[in-house]
Amino acid sequence: MRTNIEARIRELIGRVAKLDVSQLQSDDDLVERLGVDSLQGLQILAGVEKQFDVRLPDDELIKMRTIGRIADAVHKLRSASKDVSQSVHHEGHEAHEEITGRAL
Amino acid sequence: MRIGLIAMSGVRVRNEELARLGLTLPQFVSRGKVIASLPSLGLLTVAGLTPPGHEVVYREVAELKPDLALEPFDLVGISSFTAQIDEAYALADRYRAAGVPVVLGGLHVSLMPDEAAQHADSIVLYGAEGVWPQVVTDAEAGRLRPRYEGLRARVFDDAYYAQPRFDLLAGRPYNRITVQTSRGCPLNCEFCAASVRITSSYQQKPIERVVREIQIARETTRQPFFELADDNTFVNKKWGKALVRAIAPLDIRWFTETDISIADDAELLELVAESGCRQVLIGLESPDVGALDGMDPRNWKKARAPRYLEAIDRIQSRGVSVNGCFILGLDSHTPDVFETVRDFVRESGLLEVQITVQTPFPGTPLYRRLQREGRLLQDRFWDRCTLFDVTYQPKHMSVADLEAGMRWLFSEIYNEQEFLRRKRQYMEIAKACMN
């Protein structure tokens, strides 16, 4: 899953910054090494949020300087959201049991 | 001859509190740094106009060491804006005392010729086009005239045009290179001290020349970021579309200054975005419509102001950010203006903001009006024409109110939290526009 996220981010960066996807490394600094400007950086992060349906923490936007770091953040957010959704589902199940007195 | 062309580059702020504040305000500092590190396109053009057979040396004033002996030249040309003019005069005086003839030119010199003439063997008014080759010939023959008048119109005609010497910038660490595509501006705002004051009409450079200049500048400097050094690039939408279509294949990123009417033309906006434009700087001046009354002779900006928010949104939704510029201390401004600007900035989603104080540059209609009304604080205040120092009596507040209000607004707008908020707003706009 993490690998897939990184591949999709790489494609997005290649498209926004007009870079050769095959040349992009996980730990390349987007600004220093790849020459991504600040506006492209925001467009990339907006694209990431849209594509993965996540919201990157505002105070961490400035730290999202490598593909790997962005992928980690997305992976973490998606895992957390999955845990929450499973936990909500589980809690809902228990509550339902209490109300109905039987397992679903 | 060995000709030294010296650029009085850099940004100056005299107000100590503001200068101190600037050190801690990231966005305020960043645009200042960009401006401070731009090469002098005027002098590169002068270099291009220099007849063959002379060695031309380009220097930034920061490269000159005041304690060391003067670099040897046979002729020195200095160009300066108003805030640095006294430093330029001092340098000119040093060279003249050493027996080196000095020619002064540029905007301030064109607007204050009698003052400038006291520090030069010769002054050049308006553009250097049409006159610089003669200046060089006369200097070589030892018969410089005290005053030359360059062109105010037709500056891009074949007979007068010369390609700027971008090769003189090779090896220097500029973060962007300037190329001019037009000169003048039809709006003629009262405060403007830019090229409109030295031109008789709005002029556009032939597009093939702009393309060639970018290609040459890119080859010699390896810099992919360009600033179109215009005062209002997209006055003529048809020409603007042809321009951006021509520069799109050059694979550059660029910035320019234009007016809010760029938002009216969806096709132009699309082309601008596709050609690599990263940001347009637009003089919004004031969110308060009444404050714009009389700012330009046709009240063009006043008519546009009610649709500012919609226009900013339209531009930014194409992937081009807007740097919105506001002037504090306009005649209808009361101490409420600071909060009004802050609230407008928050609502607008502007990615970047430039706040300056109204400045009566000598030679402008604003200067003449404030002088007539007895509101200038000093007779001569050129070193305070920094855009951050108050030099006149505001109409509806005290000087201290304006200074304090500006400091407050700076701290409200240029802080890390607001910077992040603007980034977030921009990302939301970008997301909303994605398929």
Side-chain angles (χ1 to χ4, degrees):
Chain A
M1 185 189 166
R2 167 74 174 65
T3 317
N4 182 36
I5 290 172
E6 194 169 311
R8 287 167 67 188
I9 293 172
R10 201 170 282 158
E11 267 177 42
L12 179 70
I13 291 171
R15 201 166 55 242
V16 173
K18 296 180 186 163
L19 296 168
D20 180 357
V21 176
S22 66
Q23 300 295 310
L24 304 180
Q25 304 297 319
S26 181
D27 57 354
D28 280 344
D29 187 294
L30 297 181
V31 179
E32 301 293 335
R33 172 131 173 76
L34 303 177
V36 169
D37 64 47
S38 57
L39 198 67
Q40 287 172 328
L42 292 180
Q43 285 163 343
I44 288 166
L45 295 177
V48 166
E49 289 193 351
K50 178 99 175 179
Q51 201 171 121
F52 296 102
D53 193 23
V54 293
R55 186 183 162 107
L56 301 164
D58 287 357
D59 54 358
E60 286 185 29
L61 293 178
I62 205 161
K63 296 176 196 159
M64 304 288 169
R65 295 268 296 232
T66 66
I67 297 168
R69 193 141 198 171
I70 301 170
D72 285 343
V74 171
H75 183 62
K76 203 169 137 191
L77 287 166
R78 281 167 65 103
S79 303
S81 126
K82 211 169 175 182
D83 289 347
V84 168
S85 112
Q86 278 171 352
S87 146
V88 167
H89 180 75
H90 185 64
E91 281 165 19
H93 190 157
E94 284 175 351
H96 187 79
E97 275 185 327
E98 277 173 24
I99 295 164
T100 62
R102 63 183 172 86
L104 290 170
Chain B
M1 287 195 298
R2 186 169 194 262
I3 303 171
L5 299 177
I6 304 171
M8 304 300 295
S9 43
V11 169
R12 313 288 195 272
V13 180
R14 300 288 161 193
N15 183 318
E16 285 178 13
E17 270 188 79
L18 213 53
R20 247 196 325 271
L21 198 58
L23 297 175
T24 62
L25 303 174
Q27 249 193 340
F28 170 60
V29 173
S30 65
R31 178 66 189 150
K33 268 188 184 167
V34 167
I35 295 168
S37 63
L38 290 175
S40 168
L41 184 59
L43 286 179
L44 298 180
T45 304
V46 168
L49 290 164
T50 304
H54 302 283
E55 182 193 358
V56 179
V57 178
Y58 175 84
R59 294 278 180 262
E60 299 277 354
V61 69
E63 297 167 355
L64 309 177
K65 305 277 182 264
D67 304 336
L68 298 180
L70 292 168
E71 188 174 355
F73 296 119
D74 302 306
L75 176 68
V76 165
I78 303 175
S79 175
S80 174
F81 293 114
T82 299
Q84 297 96 322
I85 197 69
D86 287 333
E87 295 167 47
Y89 290 159
L91 184 61
D93 293 345
R94 279 186 74 199
Y95 267 106
R96 294 182 78 203
V100 181
V102 173
V103 181
L104 292 174
L107 275 161
H108 182 91
V109 169
S110 297
L111 295 170
M112 301 298 287
D114 294 339
E115 172 193 281
Q118 296 169 38
H119 302 275
D121 295 278
S122 183
I123 56 171
V124 173
L125 309 187
Y126 318 125
E129 291 89 352
V131 74
W132 181 253
Q134 188 61 51
V135 173
V136 174
T137 304
D138 289 354
E140 195 172 23
R143 51 161 198 262
L144 267 177
R145 298 205 303 265
R147 185 179 296 211
Y148 294 84
E149 289 198 12
L151 291 177
R152 303 188 73 185
R154 300 171 54 207
V155 295
F156 302 130
D157 280 11
D158 287 346
Y160 311 114
Y161 169 82
Q163 191 169 277
R165 289 272 311 273
F166 294 109
D167 59 292
L168 296 173
L169 305 180
R172 291 163 183 265
Y174 295 106
N175 61 13
R176 55 178 74 178
I177 302 297
T178 45
V179 166
Q180 190 173 50
T181 78
S182 64
R183 205 175 290 182
C185 172
L187 293 183
N188 198 11
C189 295
E190 184 189 34
F191 62 83
C192 186
S195 66
V196 67
R197 301 286 161 236
I198 58 166
T199 51
S200 55
S201 60
Y202 183 66
Q203 296 154 69
Q204 292 152 329
K205 189 179 285 180
I207 289 170
E208 62 276 13
R209 289 209 171 121
V210 176
V211 169
R212 188 72 195 125
E213 288 183 20
I214 292 173
Q215 287 170 331
I216 297 272
R218 181 125 199 230
E219 276 167 28
T220 52
T221 65
R222 305 269 160 218
Q223 174 55 254
F225 203 107
F226 283 79
E227 175 154 343
L228 305 188
D230 306 330
D231 295 323
N232 194 344
T233 303
F234 296 107
V235 170
N236 177 338
K237 305 290 181 287
K238 190 177 166 195
W239 179 85
K241 287 176 197 173
L243 173 72
V244 290
R245 279 195 181 102
I247 64 177
L250 303 179
D251 193 27
I252 59 166
R253 284 172 259 163
W254 56 278
F255 162 101
T256 197
E257 300 185 20
T258 192
D259 66 53
I260 196 78
S261 71
I262 189 175
D264 298 348
D265 193 318
E267 186 191 10
L268 175 60
L269 274 182
E270 201 66 51
L271 291 167
V272 163
E274 284 170 7
S275 68
C277 180
R278 317 307 295 143
Q279 187 170 79
V280 288
L281 183 145
I282 299 178
L284 303 170
E285 325 308 4
S286 180
D288 166 20
V289 177
L292 301 176
D293 192 28
M295 177 165 283
D296 62 89
R298 291 182 294 138
N299 262 339
W300 189 90
K301 285 189 172 168
K302 185 185 177 191
R304 292 285 173 153
R307 286 172 287 153
Y308 274 170
L309 288 173
E310 183 195 332
I312 292 164
D313 198 43
R314 218 176 300 148
I315 300 167
Q316 295 204 138
S317 66
R318 303 282 172 164
V320 174
S321 66
V322 176
N323 188 334
C325 302
F326 299 89
I327 300 174
L328 301 175
L330 298 172
D331 271 6
S332 75
H333 284 169
T334 66
D336 292 340
V337 70
F338 309 110
E339 264 186 65
T340 307
V341 172
R342 187 218 33 206
D343 295 346
F344 180 90
V345 166
R346 284 186 178 164
E347 189 183 355
S348 67
L350 283 166
L351 184 62
E352 284 196 48
V353 184
Q354 185 173 296
I355 308 282
T356 55
V357 70
Q358 176 171 254
T359 302
F361 284 92
T364 59
L366 175 66
Y367 174 88
R368 289 193 289 274
R369 180 168 68 80
L370 294 181
Q371 190 181 42
R372 224 170 31 242
E373 294 172 1
R375 292 167 59 194
L376 297 175
L377 298 181
Q378 292 170 284
D379 289 335
R380 195 178 183 286
F381 50 88
W382 309 162
D383 66 331
R384 293 177 63 81
C385 286
T386 58
L387 297 173
F388 301 105
D389 293 278
V390 181
T391 55
Y392 68 100
Q393 176 59 54
K395 205 160 191 175
H396 294 299
M397 59 182 127
S398 67
V399 170
D401 285 342
L402 180 52
E403 288 175 339
M406 183 161 58
R407 283 195 300 275
W408 176 83
L409 185 58
F410 272 34
S411 62
E412 286 285 297
I413 284 180
Y414 302 119
N415 63 61
E416 213 51 64
Q417 195 186 342
E418 282 296 300
F419 188 42
L420 280 173
R421 197 190 51 72
R422 285 200 284 278
K423 277 187 170 179
R424 169 53 64 188
Q425 261 180 309
Y426 186 82
M427 282 171 63
E428 295 304 323
I429 293 170
K431 274 157 72 176
C433 301
M434 287 172 188
N435 297 320

